[in-house]
Amino acid sequence: MIIHEQVQNLTLRCPRCGNSDFPDSIRRPAFICPVIGCNYVIEPDNMPPMLPDPDRVPAPHQSQYVGDGFIYDRDANGDWVVRGVYGEPSVLSIPALFNGRAVMGVAPRAFAGLKSLRRITLPDTVSVIGEDAFTDCAELESIVFGSGLTLLDRGCLRGCASLYEVTLPEKLREIGREAFADCSQLEAVSIGSGVEVIRDNAFLMCASLSRFTFGKRPPHIAVTAFSGCYSFDEAALFPDGQ
């Protein structure tokens, strides 16, 4: 049984496709999701509560520092984050240092839509992968996370349709909303014992997902975390029924 926090007054979101854009005119006791091809019957009064998803990773300041083909910026804490790359590379290895200081994160939308990208390796210094950082990198087949990663923010790997398998490090605490949504070829996920929360629609429409292993059961897994994972038996996560 998937467990969740009892959180009220949060955005209504379709559990099948993740849409939250509903005109006030169709908010009735029950209505059909307007997204083409979804057709999910939504009953607002019976919808499960969603885990809160505060904005914690601000966009960079839009100033450019260039080195080794990457574009860098400083985040709100003054730490280096990578926010882009020149050209259309297929293989990337983000350096651990820039100008003698650690690279601590991947900025929001840093590599979004980079169709050429197939493999990427992140250093152990990177603790945060920002919102939509790799969204729609449709050819991305492999991503190696560094040991220091603690947060996969909202939608950071959404739409990476060629991603087959991921292993997440022990220090990772949170898998954000829609982090792996629409990763249609993703079959296997392994997470460490440090994960505390898997948020709403984290693996939405990962239709090939069949293996999910972890070192310790996370205390909070959103009820919609595995929506549309038609090859996945959620009950297998909790064989003791708890």
Side-chain angles (χ1 to χ4, degrees):
M1 179 178 67
I2 303 299
I3 57 180
H4 59 276
E5 293 175 340
Q6 296 296 323
V7 181
Q8 304 299 327
N9 301 319
L10 293 172
T11 301
L12 180 65
R13 186 179 295 268
C14 175
R16 174 172 292 171
C17 71
N19 176 51
S20 62
D21 185 15
F22 302 119
D24 291 338
S25 60
I26 67 170
R27 290 178 179 269
R28 296 188 292 270
F31 61 90
I32 296 176
C33 178
V35 173
I36 297 174
C38 179
N39 298 322
Y40 188 86
V41 177
I42 297 174
E43 300 177 83
D45 292 339
N46 296 323
M47 294 291 288
M50 298 174 66
L51 296 175
D53 189 19
D55 292 328
R56 293 144 302 182
V57 185
H61 299 141
Q62 302 304 316
S63 53
Q64 292 189 8
Y65 303 83
V66 180
D68 299 323
F70 290 97
I71 303 169
Y72 298 90
D73 198 358
R74 295 187 184 276
D75 64 12
N77 298 319
D79 294 319
W80 288 120
V81 295
V82 59
R83 70 175 182 92
V85 66
Y86 283 104
E88 296 185 356
S90 61
V91 179
L92 286 176
S93 181
I94 294 176
L97 297 174
F98 177 64
N99 281 355
R101 294 189 59 180
V103 176
M104 301 296 291
V106 178
R109 298 197 61 79
F111 301 96
L114 186 58
K115 304 298 185 183
S116 62
L117 185 60
R118 293 183 178 275
R119 296 191 299 276
I120 187 164
T121 301
L122 304 173
D124 293 339
T125 55
V126 167
S127 62
V128 174
I129 298 179
E131 182 176 346
D132 292 326
F134 296 98
T135 190
D136 293 331
C137 290
E139 300 301 318
L140 183 63
E141 300 172 350
S142 171
I143 180 167
V144 178
F145 300 98
S147 63
L149 185 67
T150 61
L151 171 65
L152 291 172
D153 209 355
R154 181 169 52 196
C156 61
L157 287 152
R158 177 173 45 218
C160 293
S162 299
L163 198 61
Y164 172 76
E165 181 176 3
V166 293
T167 299
L168 302 173
E170 286 292 320
K171 290 184 180 179
L172 183 69
R173 295 197 304 268
E174 178 173 333
I175 300 175
R177 180 177 298 175
E178 300 178 12
F180 292 94
D182 297 316
C183 291
S184 57
Q185 300 301 313
L186 184 61
E187 292 189 8
V189 175
S190 176
I191 68 174
S193 58
V195 171
E196 299 171 355
V197 58
I198 301 177
R199 296 195 180 276
D200 296 270
N201 300 326
F203 296 92
L204 176 72
M205 300 304 293
C206 291
S208 300
L209 183 62
S210 59
R211 289 176 288 152
F212 193 94
T213 58
F214 49 85
K216 183 177 68 175
R217 184 172 69 187
H220 299 295
I221 301 179
V223 293
T224 60
F226 298 96
S227 293
C229 295
Y230 302 117
S231 301
F232 181 61
D233 180 10
E234 292 183 20
L237 281 178
F238 307 108
D240 57 1
Q242 298 180 4

